[in-house]
Amino acid sequence: MSMVCRLALRLPRDASTVPLVRHMLAQMLSTLGVADDCCDDLVLILTEACGNVVQHASDTDVYEVSAELRDSHCVIAVADTGTADPIPFLSPSIPPPLADRGRGLHIIRSLADEVELAAVEGGGLALRAVVALRWPPNLSRSN
């Protein structure tokens, strides 16, 4: 049996949206029975990605967030169409952990199994993070 669950939102670029989307993802993961530590990792990835948009994207009033769970993994995507300079984020060298910018990316990269950053055509940045789902031992699922 295959499972697919998707959360997709288009939100105003406002700090008040970050706790909202974080809560929605946490509730979805908890309801599906994802292990608490995995849920915490996914929520932190989403929080960092949304916080980056709210803080750094300019010339845009909205951003898009999605989280899709498919059997054994979760894909989180956050994208904006702003004009923030994506170069520090797309650089092949990761900024030092204590740099003024880029600390959130260290967190995301340390928690996710895969991370992709791409410039959005017309401006902006898209982040995609993939995490293998972990289940409590009594809820282990086969692929």
Side-chain angles (χ1 to χ4, degrees):
M1 178 170 80
S2 180
M3 173 190 73
V4 177
C5 187
R6 187 163 200 260
L7 170 68
L9 300 164
R10 183 177 170 96
L11 300 165
R13 190 180 64 88
D14 184 274
S16 67
T17 63
V18 178
L20 169 71
V21 71
R22 182 177 57 226
H23 177 74
M24 292 176 77
L25 178 63
Q27 285 299 114
M28 181 174 76
L29 295 168
S30 176
T31 299
L32 293 171
V34 174
D36 290 343
D37 64 331
C38 185
C39 179
D40 292 344
D41 290 352
L42 288 162
V43 169
L44 183 53
I45 289 168
L46 183 67
T47 300
E48 288 295 330
C50 292
N52 281 343
V53 169
V54 168
Q55 184 175 8
H56 299 295
S58 57
D59 298 331
T60 185
D61 294 330
V62 297
Y63 68 108
E64 295 180 358
V65 174
S66 69
E68 182 173 288
L69 283 72
R70 285 191 173 270
D71 297 322
S72 62
H73 64 278
C74 178
V75 177
I76 291 176
V78 178
D80 69 84
T81 56
T83 58
D85 180 10
I87 300 305
F89 298 105
L90 297 176
S91 171
S93 62
I94 301 171
L98 298 178
D100 288 339
R101 295 180 72 181
R103 288 186 299 253
L105 289 176
H106 281 284
I107 293 169
I108 292 169
R109 286 181 170 146
S110 71
L111 297 174
D113 298 309
E114 298 174 34
V115 177
E116 296 173 11
L117 290 164
V120 175
E121 188 174 330
L125 191 62
L127 176 135
R128 181 179 175 273
V130 180
V131 175
L133 291 172
R134 298 182 301 276
W135 307 94
N138 60 338
L139 288 179
S140 293
R141 300 179 185 215
S142 60
N143 294 347

